[in-house]
Amino acid sequence: MKRIYMDYAATTPMHPEVLEAMGPYFADKFGNPSSIHSFGREAREGIDASRDTIASFMGAKSEEIFFTSGGTESDNFALEGVVYANEKKGNHIVSTTIEHHAVINCLKFLEKRGFKVTYVPVDGDGLVDPEDVRKAITDKTVLVSVMHANNEIGTIEPISVIGKICREKNVYFHTDAVQTFGHLKVDVNELNIDLLSASAHKLYGPKGVGILYVRKGVKLVPYLHGGEQERGKRASTENVAGIVGFGKAVDVAKREMAELEGRLSTMRDKLVRGISSSIEKIRLNGHPAKRLANNVNVSINYVEGESMLLKLDLEGVSASTGSACSSNSLEPSHVLLAIGLPHEVAHSSLRLTLGRWTTEEEIDRVLDVLPRVVNKLREMSPLRK
Ligand SMILES: *Cc1c(COP(=O)(O)O)cnc(C)c1O
């Protein structure tokens, strides 16, 4: 049985060109980029070229890009870096109820250390109202953090407007763009962004490498203390191969992004239409139009998310759910609760995310398998009235 991967929001396979570009940096080009001999310089050149590629892709300057170990570190670096550097101004942060755990749990950590956080709510489609952000800002606010697009329900937030408000109010604006970087046009000037997180493995690059964009002039404390790498803000010998891979992934994205977005949104719409016509009592989660081209999130009444995943896996389909019974908590996804779903509906959610290698045949196969799986589970469901 050919397995079908529909979990591209969790991670993506690497593009072959990325793997090829990385290869030499595990072998001949193994030097430490801090060394001044020719081995070191060769590795340094790989990093510099990648930094230039990534910076120009987002309308930034090369010295505004910091390499990190991934999206999570970039989010932690942005939040902690800014709040600890600006304690004289205030101790208040504005964020939302639908951020990734990399932001939410870092904010909880900061709350325990005396910082105050306002979590702006979202509407039923998962949209943040920029005016709510404006109202939440006080004279003690040092940072606003709102994600570009949500990883579970795919809703794309009005971050350009939010960034403009932050500028008017003289508050730094951070966005977690892990789900959009390399998929949508992201220009830090058009979007009024001061800090931005991205991660290579969500755009056909390697795992374990990310970037934090920091606009020139933003004050932030170092994240790792040690050597002078990354202008003294993020010590540790660079992940050279990973960084080179990130640069190549961006090169490929530049070339293929627009075409891919069109292709994926067509397949996504077909998937949604198919599910809507073959399964009763479903709810489409996330904004119907302002959403990622590759994201489908549905709640399927009377069906428990994890049972659905296991059955789908047996049929060769890999997907994801907002139901979290296995992860030691009975709490379903905070995002699904934030858009107002009752617990039992949140527990019945299914996320299918498409990507570069998704085919029409795979969509058809899922549209054949899913209704059968749902019918079986519904027959057994005690929740069904
Ligand atoms: C995947 C993801 C992260 C975490 O990135 P890692 O590189 O896995 O640490 C953060 N935010 C969002 C929105 C994500 O989708």
Side-chain angles (χ1 to χ4, degrees):
M1 179 172 56
K2 209 166 150 266
R3 289 191 300 163
I4 296 176
Y5 185 74
M6 284 213 184
D7 203 12
Y8 280 83
T11 195
T12 59
M14 286 209 295
H15 194 287
E17 287 180 42
V18 171
L19 186 58
E20 191 187 313
M22 290 171 70
Y25 292 88
F26 291 113
D28 299 346
K29 303 188 181 187
F30 67 88
N32 185 323
S34 297
S35 304
I36 54 175
H37 49 60
S38 64
F39 287 93
R41 287 201 307 274
E42 195 172 49
R44 171 66 51 202
E45 278 161 22
I47 293 177
D48 289 347
S50 172
R51 200 188 305 278
D52 293 347
T53 300
I54 293 170
S56 89
F57 177 66
M58 62 200 296
K61 301 184 191 76
S62 295
E63 65 268 24
E64 294 174 317
I65 305 297
F66 293 84
F67 287 109
T68 68
S69 67
T72 301
E73 185 187 319
S74 296
D75 286 340
N76 280 242
F77 187 2
L79 302 177
E80 293 181 19
V82 166
V83 300
Y84 283 114
N86 294 277
E87 281 179 292
K88 282 213 182 77
K89 182 188 171 197
N91 67 345
H92 181 238
I93 307 156
V94 176
S95 189
T96 80
T97 50
I98 58 158
E99 299 301 310
H100 190 274
H101 281 134
V103 167
I104 296 248
N105 287 338
C106 185
L107 291 173
K108 285 188 185 155
F109 170 87
L110 290 169
E111 282 183 287
K112 285 192 194 130
R113 276 146 194 86
F115 292 93
K116 303 275 180 259
V117 182
T118 302
Y119 298 91
V120 172
V122 295
D123 69 11
D125 292 328
L127 271 182
V128 176
D129 182 347
E131 286 309 309
D132 289 343
V133 174
R134 185 197 298 278
K135 283 180 219 145
I137 295 172
T138 72
D139 56 357
K140 291 274 177 268
T141 309
V142 292
L143 180 68
V144 170
S145 180
V146 178
M147 71 200 313
H148 192 187
N150 184 269
N151 46 298
E152 292 186 42
I153 56 174
T155 300
I156 300 171
E157 302 298 342
I159 59 165
S160 171
V161 184
I162 295 169
K164 192 153 168 275
I165 291 170
C166 293
R167 200 147 293 171
E168 283 165 31
K169 297 272 193 181
N170 204 18
V171 172
Y172 293 142
F173 176 51
H174 166 253
T175 190
D176 175 336
V178 173
Q179 287 292 331
T180 54
F181 195 77
H183 301 279
L184 297 176
K185 186 170 181 231
V186 175
D187 182 296
V188 291
N189 299 312
E190 283 171 17
L191 297 175
N192 304 309
I193 293 163
D194 296 314
L195 302 105
L196 175 145
S197 305
S199 179
H201 77 100
K202 303 285 175 81
L203 58 128
Y204 312 105
K207 291 169 185 58
V209 58
I211 52 149
L212 180 65
Y213 158 79
V214 183
R215 185 177 291 280
K216 196 164 180 246
V218 171
K219 281 195 286 184
L220 88 170
V221 301
Y223 191 68
L224 290 182
H225 308 273
E228 278 303 306
Q229 292 92 351
E230 300 300 290
R231 281 88 75 216
K233 294 278 196 246
R234 203 279 183 184
S236 184
T237 302
E238 297 87 340
N239 172 5
V240 184
I243 289 169
V244 167
F246 199 161
K248 179 53 80 174
V250 165
D251 264 336
V252 174
K254 233 188 289 183
R255 199 177 70 211
E256 300 189 347
M257 197 167 79
E259 182 270 331
L260 191 57
E261 195 192 353
R263 195 150 55 82
L264 293 181
S265 58
T266 303
M267 286 195 283
R268 173 201 62 193
D269 293 345
K270 178 176 178 182
L271 191 53
V272 169
R273 276 197 311 273
I275 293 173
S276 307
S277 64
S278 61
I279 307 174
E280 289 180 340
K281 298 214 163 50
I282 62 159
R283 179 194 196 276
L284 215 51
N285 298 316
H287 195 282
K290 294 171 189 165
R291 72 182 300 126
L292 294 171
N294 75 330
N295 175 293
V296 176
N297 189 310
V298 284
S299 291
I300 303 182
N301 280 6
Y302 320 127
V303 178
E304 202 279 309
E306 296 215 323
S307 326
M308 194 157 37
L309 283 199
L310 294 175
K311 290 261 187 219
L312 284 173
D313 194 40
L314 288 174
E315 298 274 354
V317 177
S318 305
S320 169
T321 176
S323 182
C325 298
S326 67
S327 55
N328 293 326
S329 98
L330 287 172
E331 276 296 292
S333 144
H334 65 283
V335 176
L336 297 175
L337 296 180
I339 62 172
L341 299 193
H343 274 239
E344 68 276 13
V345 179
H347 269 302
S348 73
S349 76
L350 177 71
R351 181 186 73 178
L352 296 161
T353 45
L354 323 183
R356 191 175 186 280
W357 288 284
T358 304
T359 62
E360 290 273 345
E361 292 72 46
E362 290 182 335
I363 300 287
D364 291 339
R365 169 111 179 99
V366 169
L367 286 175
D368 173 48
V369 168
L370 183 61
R372 281 195 279 118
V373 164
V374 168
N375 282 338
K376 269 218 191 84
L377 289 170
R378 279 183 173 171
E379 278 164 23
M380 306 187 306
S381 171
L383 298 171
R384 193 168 192 189
K385 308 210 170 58

